[in-house]
């Protein structure tokens, strides 16, 4: 496994790469877990070379405390990637990623002003800027994103259609703990007590599927929010049922839609998100 820390080193490698070898790319912010490794595995299965980036992107954090407390462990990350058979790890500094002040801005009408976009101003602009920069540097054929960040995956798919039509975007299933909690680097910041109640989010997402048989999506959301808040420790930021095609809220279920339940909730000072494709 090769570790590159500069754009120049990677570009040199790219120049010497035999033509025809495909590159699969997995962008991450590090503190890796089995969810990230599932993306590495998928890339290895479909590409000649797998590149993983580790970069905690300050411009996508709308909350300074979240950035300050974001967990990091480069040594453990490199061990996991080596074991997983990753070929290249790209770990750039801030200056390598942003050699000049950022001047571009992205918007994704209809997609970036709902759900996470409505609650984290500027977040998806920051994500799109860094992913576009990495696509320019890494030049992958395929890029892998987790459906854990469902809206991010859809926005990056849009970005690729607009700016990088040569790159195919793959959305991969959510990897969970045995008790249902979606793996997340932020889970490491939960106390023992918080960790115990965290799987309730997935329980309630599953429950929303049953409730939709008898209730409207709006009623289901209110009920699910209550179930989460009744735990005492969890505080819902939003619970929504939206259409997988456009992320717009669903008022009445019909057969053309593909409902997905989305939740964001605070557990202590950790913000967790999760979702479930309902049909
Ligand atoms: P992050 O390091 O949190 O920016 O995540 C890097 C990539 O891993 C993103 O595409 C995430 O959606 C994906 N990812 C994070 N957690 C999971 C999970 N539990 N299952 C599958 N993919 C995940």
């Amino acid at each position: 496994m090769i570790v590159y820390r500069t754009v120049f080193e990677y570009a040199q490698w790219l120049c010497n790469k035999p033509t025809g070898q495909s590159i699969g790319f997995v962008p991450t912010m590090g503190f890796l877990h089995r969810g990230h490794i599932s993306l590495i595995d998928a890339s290895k299965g479909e590409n000649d070379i797998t590149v993983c980036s580790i970069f905690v992107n300050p411009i996508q954090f709308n909350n300074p405390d979240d950035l300050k407390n974001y967990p990091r462990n480069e040594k453990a990350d490199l061990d996991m990637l080596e074991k997983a058979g990753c070929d290249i790890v790209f770990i750039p500094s801030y200056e390598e990623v942003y050699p000049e002040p950022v001047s571009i801005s992205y918007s994704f009408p209809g997609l970036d002003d709902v759900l996470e976009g409505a609650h984290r101003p500027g977040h998806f602009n920051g994500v799109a800027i860094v992913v576009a920069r990495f696509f320019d540097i890494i030049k992958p054929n395929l890029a892998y994103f987790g459906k854990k960040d469902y809206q991010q995956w859809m926005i990056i798919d849009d970005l690729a259609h607009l700016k990088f039509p040569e790159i195919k975007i793959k959305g991969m299933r959510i990897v969970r703990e045995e008790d249902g909690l979606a793996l997340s680097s932020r889970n490491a910041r939960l106390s023992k007590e918080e960790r115990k109640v965290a799987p309730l989010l997935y329980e309630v997402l599953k429950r929303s599927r049953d409730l939709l048989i008898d209730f409207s999506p709006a009623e289901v959301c209110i009920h699910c929010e209550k179930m989460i808040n009744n735990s005492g420790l969890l505080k819902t930021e939003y619970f929504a049922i939206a259409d997988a095609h456009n992320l717009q809220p669903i008022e009445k279920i019909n057969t053309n839609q593909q409902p997905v339940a989305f939740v964001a909730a605070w557990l202590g000072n950790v913000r967790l998100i999760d979702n479930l494709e309902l049909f």
Side-chain angles (χ1 to χ4, degrees):
M1 188 173 79
I2 315 170
V3 179
Y4 290 130
R5 293 183 189 270
T6 65
V7 175
F8 181 73
E9 287 170 315
Y10 182 83
Q12 267 191 328
W13 170 82
L14 198 59
C15 275
N16 296 316
K17 176 181 80 67
T19 42
Q21 281 198 339
S22 66
I23 298 176
F25 177 43
V26 179
T28 81
M29 297 205 296
F31 211 77
L32 303 181
H33 49 65
R34 284 184 292 113
H36 297 110
I37 298 304
S38 73
L39 305 182
I40 301 287
D41 290 343
S43 170
K44 279 181 63 69
E46 294 181 307
N47 299 280
D48 299 307
I49 291 156
T50 291
V51 179
C52 177
S53 64
I54 299 177
F55 180 65
V56 180
N57 176 34
I59 69 165
Q60 75 183 63
F61 284 79
N62 55 311
N63 174 344
D65 281 343
D66 191 25
L67 174 61
K68 198 177 87 207
N69 296 324
Y70 201 84
R72 298 162 202 244
N73 188 340
E74 187 183 299
K75 164 92 180 59
D77 288 348
L78 291 177
D79 285 350
M80 276 182 95
L81 289 171
E82 175 102 61
K83 249 189 224 142
C86 182
D87 300 293
I88 295 180
V89 191
F90 182 54
I91 314 182
S93 64
Y94 181 87
E95 290 70 27
E96 284 291 319
V97 178
Y98 301 116
E100 284 160 22
V102 179
S103 54
I104 193 163
S105 104
Y106 289 96
S107 72
F108 302 88
L111 275 187
D112 64 3
D113 54 356
V114 292
L115 304 169
E116 287 299 278
H119 290 85
R120 300 185 66 187
H123 169 65
F124 287 120
N125 183 40
V127 169
I129 289 170
V130 79
V131 171
R133 173 81 175 123
F134 278 131
F135 282 177
D136 274 330
I137 298 167
I138 305 295
K139 307 212 183 315
N141 302 87
L142 276 79
Y144 295 81
F145 292 84
K147 289 191 186 176
K148 162 81 170 35
D149 301 282
Y150 203 97
Q151 190 171 10
Q152 167 175 284
W153 159 57
M154 288 187 67
I155 282 174
I156 298 303
D157 196 44
D158 236 36
L159 172 76
H161 278 111
L162 285 170
K163 259 199 91 172
F164 302 92
E166 71 285 5
I167 303 175
K168 187 167 178 211
I169 306 300
K170 301 277 243 179
M172 311 306 293
R173 69 172 188 88
I174 301 176
V175 178
R176 299 180 178 280
E177 300 282 7
E178 252 175 38
D179 59 13
L181 176 64
L183 295 189
S184 163
S185 307
R186 289 183 176 90
N187 294 350
R189 291 176 44 212
L190 297 173
S191 70
K192 254 194 185 152
E193 201 188 350
E194 288 163 351
R195 175 63 188 80
K196 262 192 215 153
V197 301
L200 181 67
L201 291 182
Y202 184 52
E203 288 307 312
V204 174
L205 285 170
K206 285 189 293 185
R207 186 92 179 88
S208 71
R209 179 186 276 152
D210 306 331
L211 288 168
L212 268 184
I213 298 168
D214 296 317
F215 298 97
S216 73
E219 288 167 334
V220 172
C221 291
I222 292 170
H223 190 67
C224 288
E225 225 174 274
K226 271 191 197 145
M227 279 194 283
I228 292 168
N229 295 343
N230 282 346
S231 71
L233 289 179
L234 278 158
K235 176 96 194 65
T236 315
E237 196 167 278
Y238 63 82
F239 193 102
I241 295 177
D243 190 350
H245 300 108
N246 55 20
L247 299 186
Q248 296 309 302
I250 292 180
E251 277 164 27
K252 195 165 179 288
I253 300 285
N254 70 46
T255 47
N256 303 324
Q257 294 155 332
Q258 231 180 296
V260 184
F262 293 93
V263 64
W266 286 90
L267 190 44
N269 56 10
V270 182
R271 187 174 180 277
L272 298 176
I273 58 169
D274 200 352
N275 66 78
L276 182 67
E277 292 172 316
L278 296 178
F279 290 12

